[in-house]
């Protein structure tokens, strides 16, 4: 899945997508205006091109969590951050998912990279402090599954993230740094993994991985590139059978060690189904040409 320039599908970009058809695209703020017609025109053009080029529709994804992580400008719904709902906010979160899902579907967007199922264990020092639903597994699991239910009842695929959990770090993997978490599997099964286990039981339609190293699970690779975490843990142990997406492979935590195209090949070999390469079309082209 790739990012695209601009508000409209211009001819050079359309030609590129015909030559190198991706599984999907990710929309950012610079792709979206306050005009509903502009967004529908863009998503409609993308789907028309995909059907002509491959015979299949493409996934059109967006990060629309609420709070600081949202792509749609006003007058579209402007919802609060996950942390603002509180422990008893399940019904409110469900209503958010339903309303947000209906809005996205109306715009032709088929997947929301939400909810965040990370547990903000570090509180104010945590990287996910506003984006997580809470500081304990039960709260995050209860509210996260409500968000999933609302989004998917509205007809938009929910993508839970960031497996197997980012709540134990204060570092930002967008930067050239690789966060590390020192947790054993038995502890994680009682903490970080609880919301993901519940999301799988609730039928979440996609899971996104994190660019963190879990030193006691795989000390050599970030989760997005780890066969143990993707195949042995997520697939075999937790029983998840749906699509696995990486986070953007053009983030600093990845590019400080390898090229995005090399990371994409490694992620797919490790068990990911979809590799996100959202910053440059050139990196995606290099990946296709080396595959």
């Amino acid at each position: 899945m790739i990012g695209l320039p601009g508000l409209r599908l211009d001819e050079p970009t359309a030609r590129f997508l015909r030559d190198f058809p991706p599984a999907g695209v990710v929309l950012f703020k610079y792709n979206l205006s306050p005009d509903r017609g502009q967004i529908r025109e863009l998503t409609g053009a993308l789907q028309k091109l995909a059907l002509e080029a491959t015979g299949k529709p493409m996934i059109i994804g967006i990060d629309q969590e609420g709070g600081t992580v949202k792509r749609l400008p006003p007058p579209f719904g402007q919802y609060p951050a996950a942390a603002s709902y509180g422990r008893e906010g399940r019904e409110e979160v469900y209503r958010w998912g339903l309303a947000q899902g209906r809005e996205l579907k109306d715009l032709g967007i088929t997947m929301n990279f939400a909810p965040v199922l990370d547990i903000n264990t570090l509180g104010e020092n945590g990287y996910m402090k506003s984006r997580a639903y809470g500081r304990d597994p039960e709260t995050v699991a209860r509210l996260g599954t409500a968000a999933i239910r609302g989004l998917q009842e509205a007809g938009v695929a929910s993508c839970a993230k960031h497996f197997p959990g980012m709540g134990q770090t204060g570092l930002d993997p967008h930067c050239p740094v690789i966060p590390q978490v020192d947790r054993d599997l038995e502890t994680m099964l009682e903490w970080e993994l609880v919301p993901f286990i519940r999301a799988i039981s609730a039928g979440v339609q996609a899971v996104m991985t994190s660019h963190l190293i879990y030193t006691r699970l795989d000390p050599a690779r970030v989760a997005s590139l780890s066969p143990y975490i993707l195949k042995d843990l997520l697939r075999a142990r937790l029983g998840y059978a749906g699509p696995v997406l990486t986070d953007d492979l053009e983030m600093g935590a990845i590019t400080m060690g390898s090229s995005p195209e090399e990371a994409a090949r490694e992620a797919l070999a490790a068990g990911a189904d979809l590799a996100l390469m959202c910053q440059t079309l050139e990196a995606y082209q290099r990946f296709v040409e080396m595959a």
Side-chain angles (χ1 to χ4, degrees):
M1 295 183 67
I2 62 174
L4 300 175
L7 294 169
R8 289 176 175 78
L9 185 61
D10 58 30
E11 183 49 40
T13 305
R15 186 166 57 250
F16 179 90
L17 295 180
R18 291 188 195 99
D19 291 340
F20 306 100
V25 302
V26 182
L27 300 180
F28 291 89
K29 287 183 179 180
Y30 49 78
N31 302 124
L32 306 164
S33 78
D35 178 10
R36 189 178 302 271
Q38 175 266 318
I39 301 173
R40 286 175 171 169
E41 180 181 346
L42 175 60
T43 59
L46 288 168
Q47 294 293 16
K48 181 174 184 292
L49 186 149
L51 288 170
E52 290 172 351
T54 70
K56 299 177 182 179
M58 67 165 57
I59 303 165
I60 300 180
I62 192 171
D63 281 290
Q64 192 69 11
E65 301 171 16
T68 59
V69 182
K70 57 181 180 288
R71 309 302 186 213
L72 292 170
F76 301 105
Q78 302 297 297
Y79 298 99
S84 69
Y85 287 98
R87 294 170 64 92
E88 304 305 318
R90 179 167 57 181
E91 188 59 32
E92 198 176 356
V93 171
Y94 165 74
R95 289 196 297 270
W96 164 81
L98 197 61
Q100 186 67 90
R102 287 170 173 166
E103 186 168 64
L104 295 176
K105 185 177 182 181
D106 179 66
L107 295 171
I109 297 168
T110 65
M111 178 179 286
N112 191 7
F113 302 136
V116 166
L117 295 185
D118 307 310
I119 302 165
N120 183 31
T121 309
L122 299 183
E124 286 302 308
N125 295 318
Y127 172 58
M128 305 304 295
K129 63 183 179 181
S130 68
R131 297 170 63 191
Y133 283 114
R135 298 184 63 177
D136 66 275
E138 181 56 34
T139 297
V140 175
R142 185 170 63 249
L143 273 59
T145 53
I148 291 165
R149 184 163 58 94
L151 285 166
Q152 294 186 172
E153 284 183 13
V156 169
S158 171
C159 180
K161 60 189 186 185
H162 305 82
F163 186 84
M166 287 182 59
Q168 290 282 340
T169 184
L171 300 177
D172 180 357
H174 291 83
C175 302
V177 60
I178 303 177
Q180 297 193 17
V181 174
D182 183 31
R183 303 276 272 189
D184 64 81
L185 180 57
E186 293 311 310
T187 301
M188 293 180 71
L189 286 167
E190 296 178 357
W191 197 262
E192 284 89 350
L193 296 175
V194 170
F196 291 99
I197 292 168
R198 294 270 287 277
I200 292 166
S201 295
V204 69
Q205 291 178 340
V207 171
M208 179 180 285
T209 60
S210 64
H211 299 334
L212 275 68
I213 288 179
Y214 300 81
T215 56
R216 300 202 198 184
L217 304 185
D218 187 339
R221 304 174 186 84
V222 298
S224 295
L225 311 181
S226 169
Y228 173 79
I229 291 175
L230 301 189
K231 293 179 181 178
D232 296 349
L233 179 56
L234 181 56
R235 295 289 194 199
R237 177 127 190 190
L238 302 190
Y240 176 66
V244 176
L245 289 68
T246 71
D247 209 340
D248 186 2
L249 295 172
E250 295 189 76
M251 287 183 181
I254 297 294
T255 58
M256 65 180 291
S258 68
S259 69
E261 57 269 25
E262 291 167 342
R265 185 160 64 174
E266 190 174 347
L268 296 173
D273 300 291
L274 293 165
L276 270 63
M277 306 174 75
C278 300
Q279 307 307 314
T280 62
L281 294 177
E282 291 78 12
Y284 169 61
Q285 181 176 345
R286 290 194 298 270
F287 166 73
V288 174
E289 290 174 343
M290 70 187 281

